Amino acid sequence: MAVEMLKEKWKGQVTEVVIGATEEDGGTRTSTVTVGGEAALPFLDFEGEIPNKPVVAYEVFDEEPEGWAEPLVEAWEDVYSDPVAWAKKCEDEGAELIALRLVSADPAGQDRSPEEVAQTVKDVLEAVGVPLMVLGCEDAEKDNEVLKAVAEVAEGENLLIGVAEEDNYKTIAGACMIHNHTLIAQSPVDMNIAKQLNILLTDLGVKEDRIVIDPLLSSLGYGLEYSYSVMERIRLSALRGDKMLSMPMIAFAGKEAWRVKEPNTSVEENPQWGEQENRGVMWETFTASTVLQSGANILVMRHPQAAKNVQSLSDDLMADNS
Amino acid sequence: MIIIGERINGMFNDIGEAIKNQDPTAIQEWAVKQLEAGANYLDANVGPAVEDSPEVMKWLVEVIQDEVDAPVCIDTTNVDAMEAALEVHKGTAMINSVTAEPSKLEAILPLVKEYEAEVIGLAMDKTGVPKDSATRTAKAMEIVANVDAHGIPMEDLYVDPLILPVNVAQDHAPEVLETIKQVKLLADPAPKTVLGLSNVSQNCTNMGLINRTFLVMAMAAGLDAAIMEANDQEMLDSIATAEIILNNDIYCDSFLKQFRK
């Protein structure tokens, strides 16, 4: 008996978003990253086109990280007091995209000025050729100033700047529009707010292909399933033709995975969990690879081995299944 | 919800005049206006003022598609007029309509197949509109079987269970709602369902209220499409709200505005 392959006919498609700009497009990047464009569920290329693979971004702090787990310290301590050297090392490790987190702007910490941190962004741009994602210090008021300054000094580079939220998006969105950058729109594990925020942004004049959705990831063991199902519904809505949920999705897997107990506990403390090194890398790898299945387009990672694991899994999944 | 704008119908005076004088102005204005309001298809019916001939139907489809890039729902009982309109129609047309009468099915379904059109199937035959849901469903099944036998995809069939005015045929409305539910069980994938919505309120008071209340009830029963007044703003609000409550669209605070985009 002949078996017919069941193929869903989708009417929608994920919007294609480009990050970075080469000389031709007014920037100085040696490469750009394109995400989105899928016309089917993740990796189901037998029922629709999957033109771009998910991208792994390496996370870099603009100051020496505090309280990091031992495996992360071991991986980066030779460079992590210098963001330029750190970014270069990421590029050497094979990063196609670097996520620079401007922690030093935090008013509760070093409280560096917008001009100072914008200079760091410039330095990193000069040191590496891959496109850059720039993230604030998570103090909404300060980030508005900082990201505005960053958008200005990096005009033409088409950074991916984040994050805009429902109650704080106008300044960042305005800066992105004026200086031609792409924007991360973050919503708190809530697709209704994700959709509403995209409507507010597009009403303001931000183009649909200049927005990346951050549905806010939770770590493995700490609510990953909520993020997973929200991401899945966002993706299904895109494929059903909902333009306001059609943007590519970003997941901060490194940040979330390494802040929970399991990757941060030594084997002496918890012998039943096994070696910390492997456990931490796997915690991050599984957090990221799970949301790869629900449609994540950009995975922001911390440990180089976890980043490589996810890259290799994503390459395998991109193999032709048609 | 698939909205089929009902306004290009010779039964309305401006359209009747326009067809008689071969003046496309009013027709094209309504085409644009209905699409802007959110219509997905434009019903086209020459009406009582002129003869329902192939020439007139063809002209009507041409003047609509000269102005807008939208599918037309070719509303005629004249098979030659259907064919003439299908010949000039760009994109996927909808035929309005066929009944369960064997002679009609045999005349019309080959055209639907040949032009890869969609078709509305009225759940009735020459004995008239059935009284109860069971008979309506039986007529729908006859159409489903014939559509399948002609190799037309089931998703291209829109079964119309035929709503009558609620003031004179009040007992029909619940039967129609039940028929919509039953029709969705007749095949997998299921045929679509459609209503000529304005019929429910003919010669009643509060027509808009009756129309939109019934439409929401029909949507809850599984209705996919309606031939309706596309420019009725309160109706569109009701549809947008029903789509949210049925979990067909993802809720957001701007859901009414978003539905109109």
Side-chain angles (χ1 to χ4, degrees):
Chain A
M1 209 179 92
V3 177
E4 200 196 331
M5 198 69 178
L6 277 179
K7 293 178 186 178
E8 192 72 47
K9 281 181 222 148
W10 298 108
K11 60 178 180 185
Q13 191 166 3
V14 179
T15 307
E16 211 163 67
V17 170
V18 179
I19 302 158
T22 56
E23 215 165 316
E24 270 178 10
D25 303 310
T28 63
R29 302 301 82 206
T30 53
S31 59
T32 60
V33 156
T34 305
V35 289
E38 302 95 305
L41 286 171
F43 310 111
L44 301 192
D45 59 3
F46 58 87
E47 62 180 32
E49 199 194 351
I50 312 279
N52 303 299
K53 69 176 167 68
V55 171
V56 171
Y58 284 60
E59 207 169 308
V60 168
F61 284 20
D62 74 335
E63 65 174 19
E64 193 174 307
E66 261 176 54
W68 264 17
E70 200 44 46
L72 284 175
V73 173
E74 265 169 46
W76 298 112
E77 68 182 330
D78 54 333
V79 289
Y80 72 18
S81 52
D82 174 5
V84 170
W86 191 350
K88 274 186 176 163
K89 188 173 169 185
C90 292
E91 204 176 30
D92 293 343
E93 294 271 356
E96 293 167 274
L97 182 64
I98 289 170
L100 179 61
R101 210 179 264 286
L102 302 174
V103 191
S104 74
D106 190 349
Q110 287 200 55
D111 198 17
R112 279 200 197 141
S113 71
E115 293 69 33
E116 272 179 281
V117 291
Q119 185 57 46
T120 310
V121 173
K122 272 187 97 171
D123 294 343
V124 172
L125 280 168
E126 272 165 31
V128 299
V130 296
L132 209 60
M133 177 191 321
V134 177
L135 306 157
C137 64
E138 301 181 3
D139 177 283
E141 217 171 297
K142 185 68 182 286
D143 281 346
N144 280 343
E145 293 173 44
V146 164
L147 296 174
K148 211 167 118 183
V150 167
E152 200 177 331
V153 300
E155 175 156 306
E157 297 286 2
N158 188 14
L159 304 176
L160 178 59
I161 294 182
V163 296
E165 294 173 90
E166 194 188 22
D167 51 8
N168 184 39
Y169 63 92
K170 285 187 181 151
T171 309
I172 300 175
C176 283
M177 278 194 289
I178 295 166
H179 303 293
N180 261 322
H181 300 291
T182 302
L183 183 64
I184 302 173
Q186 188 189 75
S187 42
V189 206
D190 185 327
M191 65 209 133
N192 306 126
I193 294 177
K195 183 171 176 178
Q196 186 66 23
L197 178 54
N198 288 336
I199 292 170
L200 295 170
L201 289 169
T202 47
D203 281 355
L204 200 67
V206 182
K207 297 270 184 301
E208 283 162 30
D209 64 356
R210 286 300 181 106
I211 300 172
V212 171
I213 298 173
D214 174 12
L216 208 65
L217 184 61
S218 305
S219 167
L220 173 66
Y222 293 82
L224 177 58
E225 60 276 30
Y226 294 98
S227 304
Y228 184 94
S229 58
V230 163
M231 291 173 78
E232 191 174 49
R233 281 200 74 187
I234 289 175
R235 182 49 37 90
L236 285 169
S237 299
L239 296 175
R240 287 178 185 140
D242 190 332
K243 294 304 279 177
M244 287 300 113
L245 288 170
S246 292
M247 297 75 175
M249 290 185 281
I250 188 168
F252 291 94
K255 177 187 170 192
E256 295 306 321
W258 287 97
R259 76 163 164 203
V260 302
K261 183 172 64 195
E262 287 80 353
N264 283 296
T265 315
S266 69
V267 66
E268 290 76 29
E269 215 176 314
N270 260 314
Q272 74 277 20
W273 286 348
E275 286 302 326
Q276 187 187 1
E277 172 78 34
N278 190 44
R279 188 192 330 131
V281 169
M282 280 306 153
W283 211 265
E284 187 183 3
T285 302
F286 284 125
T287 301
S289 51
T290 302
V291 289
L292 213 47
Q293 313 292 336
S294 61
N297 299 87
I298 304 171
L299 296 148
V300 187
M301 309 289 291
R302 278 201 182 155
H303 196 287
Q305 186 55 50
K308 288 194 178 91
N309 291 346
V310 173
Q311 235 156 6
S312 128
L313 174 67
S314 133
D315 288 344
D316 286 350
L317 289 168
M318 283 300 288
D320 188 6
N321 294 311
S322 59
Chain B
M1 188 66 195
I2 300 163
I3 299 171
I4 304 165
E6 68 179 7
R7 192 56 177 73
I8 303 177
N9 187 320
M11 170 186 94
F12 294 101
N13 289 337
D14 55 347
I15 301 293
E17 284 296 309
I19 295 171
K20 220 161 59 184
N21 303 328
Q22 299 271 297
D23 173 8
T25 316
I27 295 162
Q28 293 177 337
E29 275 173 15
W30 273 109
V32 171
K33 217 170 135 178
Q34 293 184 95
L35 288 172
E36 279 175 359
N40 306 101
Y41 292 76
L42 301 171
D43 192 75
N45 183 316
V46 300
V50 292
E51 194 202 343
D52 186 1
S53 67
E55 292 71 34
V56 180
M57 200 41 155
K58 176 171 169 267
W59 176 82
L60 194 54
V61 169
E62 280 176 332
V63 298
I64 292 171
Q65 291 201 320
D66 277 349
E67 182 70 18
V68 297
D69 179 20
V72 176
C73 179
I74 301 162
D75 189 354
T76 172
T77 51
N78 179 336
V79 178
D80 291 337
M82 279 177 197
E83 182 156 25
L86 283 169
E87 270 172 18
V88 296
H89 187 280
K90 290 174 270 185
T92 305
M94 192 185 289
I95 289 294
N96 184 8
S97 54
V98 69
T99 66
E101 276 172 84
S103 62
K104 292 217 165 162
L105 290 164
E106 279 318 306
I108 296 169
L109 293 184
L111 288 178
V112 173
K113 173 74 181 167
E114 184 186 343
Y115 291 94
E116 295 180 354
E118 297 174 313
V119 63
I120 294 178
L122 308 181
M124 63 179 280
D125 55 21
K126 60 177 186 293
T127 63
V129 176
K131 277 208 166 54
D132 56 54
S133 159
T135 317
R136 280 178 161 93
T137 307
K139 295 299 150 199
M141 188 61 216
E142 284 169 31
I143 299 172
V144 163
N146 276 278
V147 158
D148 192 47
H150 279 87
I152 299 163
M154 206 44 69
E155 304 97 297
D156 292 348
L157 169 64
Y158 290 70
V159 172
D160 181 348
L162 295 159
I163 184 63
L164 299 179
V166 73
N167 55 350
V168 294
Q170 203 168 352
D171 52 345
H172 278 255
E175 299 295 329
V176 165
L177 294 174
E178 181 57 27
T179 309
I180 292 170
K181 286 186 206 159
Q182 295 296 330
V183 166
K184 297 309 283 185
L185 305 174
L186 291 181
D188 186 14
K192 293 199 175 86
T193 48
V194 65
L195 282 173
L197 186 64
S198 314
N199 270 351
V200 72
S201 64
Q202 232 179 67
N203 294 321
C204 299
T205 58
N206 294 315
M207 288 161 76
L209 177 64
I210 294 170
N211 289 344
R212 58 181 186 271
T213 304
F214 184 60
L215 185 63
V216 166
M217 294 168 84
M219 285 175 74
L223 187 73
D224 299 290
I227 304 172
M228 54 173 262
E229 193 184 335
N231 297 82
D232 178 340
Q233 297 301 318
E234 284 173 305
M235 174 79 88
L236 290 175
D237 285 349
S238 297
I239 296 174
T241 309
E243 292 285 20
I244 292 291
I245 293 172
L246 290 167
N247 195 19
N248 292 334
D249 278 345
I250 301 288
Y251 172 83
C252 65
D253 289 345
S254 311
F255 73 92
L256 291 182
K257 199 176 96 190
Q258 196 56 28
F259 183 74
R260 289 183 162 71
K261 280 190 179 167

